Amino acid sequence: MTAIKSVRGRRVWDSRGNPTVEIEISLEDGTRGRAIAPAGASRGTREAVDLRDGGMRLRGRDVTGALEGIAEHIAPALIGLDAENQKAVDERLLMLDPSPTKETIGGNATVAASLAVLNTTAASQRVPLWRYVADLYGCVPTVPLPEIQIFGGGAHAGRRVDIQDFMIMVPGASSFEEVMEITSEVYFAAGDIMASRGKLAGVADEGGWWPVFSSNEEALETLVQAIEKAGEKPGERVVISLDIAASEFGSNGRYRLALEDRELDSGQLIDLLGTWLDAYPIVSIEDPVAEDDRDGMIAFTRRFGDRVQVIGDDYLVTNADLVEAAVRDSACNAVLVKVNQAGTVSESVSAFQAARGAGWGAIVSARSGETEDVSISHLSTGLGCGQLKVGSFTRTERMAKWNECLRIQEELGADSFAGAKALDRTWWGRNKDKSK
Ligand code: PGA
Ligand code: ZN
């Protein structure tokens, strides 16, 4: 037993310059540790909410109410608890706010508290966080295969294009280092192509190039060209992954593609995505339809689920009950795990375990508002989930997570890299031997 001695909240700032919550824990044995809450921009309606002050100050985004809740409710509830009992800590947090979206105490406060306890306990045991997580949940630690954004769109780029994330994955790499090298080549090749066309206009929220394109397809074409310019054959070592984030441009079965000024119903959107799957080497699609489009998600998964990874983000909001319902529906075949969508580590792990139990894939993910906190690199490795989504290949709040994976791989060895195994369920996985 290592009792929690103090819990202290403080206001820090995220990658978009918004206030966010950090919690620092100290234990009776003298160990100190901390964690910071990230923040989403394309949020699911059923995810844990960030408690923000509202009003005019700091555009309503300040977190003084959340910090008061930490001092008045969270600290007294956690002090004296055994930090090694993560489940009990998280249950205590849930008791403070039983509302489904944690709107009373704030998901930003609970996630910082929950992750801070996890971090501090690992430090107290003098083991890296990934090892502590692997031991706690009985998983085989695995260095993840990343999804890395090359162009940012949707809510992360003033809706300049409809689709939110145009990413690459490098399942043909033999190590995490090699993924970094190849991604760097592709990222700058994409920038060079845009510059040569007079279309370089900075970067989006997660550091991917700002998408000065006249159609979503132009973004896909440019991505393929960038992969080629980097000396790779698209679909061999390097493949494409998309986060459609369809809830951002559709609801009630209607989807408005602003860039092309046209409206699609759910079936037409699915058909359109199908043409992209035929034309481009895409292995993974996240939120292909909106969070309220159950029939659409079932239809999409039925048509394409044996070819591509179908990830539920806003659709599942890291919630075990929603994962179980989707498993029953045969909607999606992979879950995105964002700890702040659930609000605690234990709930996130339950969602992960529900997905794993059904044979699904799982991807630990950052948010578009991030910080120097690198807990998710360890969580992904420790849970052995095989994949990690962090955003782009620039900006330190992103690179810190990739760099942490490099350190972890150094310790675990290149054999622990998930690589191709992460995409075994996709066309790429089935054809990988042919591509060598
Ligand atoms: P968010 O987006 O962090 O802005 O919600 C990330 C994602 O949709 O995966
Ligand atoms: Zn998403």
Side-chain angles (χ1 to χ4, degrees), residues 315-384:
Y315 192 78
L316 299 171
V317 291
T318 316
N319 178 303
D321 292 340
L322 294 178
V323 171
E324 277 160 19
V327 169
R328 285 195 296 276
D329 283 349
S330 301
C332 311
N333 58 28
V335 64
L336 204 72
V337 177
K338 291 169 164 169
V339 184
N340 80 325
Q341 272 183 333
T344 60
V345 171
S346 300
E347 289 167 282
S348 307
V349 172
S350 296
F352 163 71
Q353 287 166 336
R356 262 297 145 88
W360 280 21
I363 304 93
V364 169
S365 172
R367 302 308 301 250
S368 51
E370 269 294 335
T371 67
E372 68 273 26
D373 190 303
V374 295
S375 307
I376 59 167
S377 303
H378 290 264
L379 265 185
S380 176
T381 303
L383 293 174

Side-chain angles (χ1 to χ4, degrees), residues 40-43 156 164 243 286 313 336 338 367-368 389:
S42 74
R43 303 167 52 84
H156 301 162
Q164 183 178 286
D243 182 0
E286 184 176 323
D313 171 15
L336 204 72
K338 291 169 164 169
R367 302 308 301 250
S368 51
K389 181 186 180 199

Side-chain angles (χ1 to χ4, degrees), residues 152-166 211 213-217 219 243-249 255-262 264 269 272 276:
H156 301 162
R159 296 172 206 284
R160 182 62 189 70
V161 293
D162 306 294
I163 308 309
Q164 183 178 286
D165 289 299
F166 296 87
F213 298 115
S214 39
S215 68
N216 296 298
E217 285 84 353
D243 182 0
I244 308 299
S247 309
E248 289 295 310
F249 59 88
Y255 295 89
R256 167 127 207 93
L257 295 180
L259 196 55
E260 292 150 46
D261 193 22
R262 62 181 171 138
L264 306 177
L269 176 63
L272 175 67
W276 295 356

Side-chain angles (χ1 to χ4, degrees), residues 83-281:
E84 287 170 10
N85 193 342
Q86 184 72 34
K87 193 160 178 283
V89 166
D90 290 340
E91 277 167 4
R92 198 60 178 266
L93 290 168
L94 283 181
M95 276 163 60
L96 292 175
D97 187 351
S99 69
T101 54
K102 301 186 174 58
E103 65 241 20
T104 321
I105 207 97
N108 45 356
T110 61
V111 76
S114 182
L115 275 171
V117 170
L118 193 78
N119 271 316
T120 312
T121 312
S124 153
Q125 297 188 358
R126 294 189 169 73
V127 291
L129 182 57
W130 59 263
R131 188 178 296 286
Y132 178 64
V133 168
D135 290 347
L136 185 62
Y137 297 109
C139 303
V140 180
T142 309
V143 176
L145 176 67
E147 295 187 83
I148 307 185
Q149 186 193 70
I150 306 296
F151 307 123
H156 301 162
R159 296 172 206 284
R160 182 62 189 70
V161 293
D162 306 294
I163 308 309
Q164 183 178 286
D165 289 299
F166 296 87
M167 298 171 286
I168 60 163
M169 300 180 84
V170 193
S174 53
S175 66
F176 198 89
E177 280 100 322
E178 201 176 15
V179 174
M180 298 292 98
E181 257 183 57
I182 294 170
T183 304
S184 175
E185 302 281 11
V186 173
Y187 181 80
F188 289 107
D192 288 348
I193 292 171
M194 292 173 95
S196 71
R197 295 178 188 162
K199 289 188 165 186
L200 200 61
V203 295
D205 275 9
E206 296 187 357
W209 300 113
W210 185 267
V212 191
F213 298 115
S214 39
S215 68
N216 296 298
E217 285 84 353
E218 193 190 344
L220 282 162
E221 287 294 341
T222 310
L223 187 48
V224 167
Q225 289 160 9
I227 295 169
E228 284 167 346
K229 193 168 173 5
E232 298 288 332
K233 193 156 173 270
E236 288 203 349
R237 288 202 303 178
V238 185
V239 290
I240 294 176
S241 168
L242 300 177
D243 182 0
I244 308 299
S247 309
E248 289 295 310
F249 59 88
S251 59
N252 299 315
R254 306 295 306 172
Y255 295 89
R256 167 127 207 93
L257 295 180
L259 196 55
E260 292 150 46
D261 193 22
R262 62 181 171 138
E263 191 168 295
L264 306 177
D265 65 22
S266 183
Q268 289 166 324
L269 176 63
I270 293 169
D271 287 345
L272 175 67
L273 297 178
T275 64
W276 295 356
L277 295 183
D278 289 339
Y280 305 101

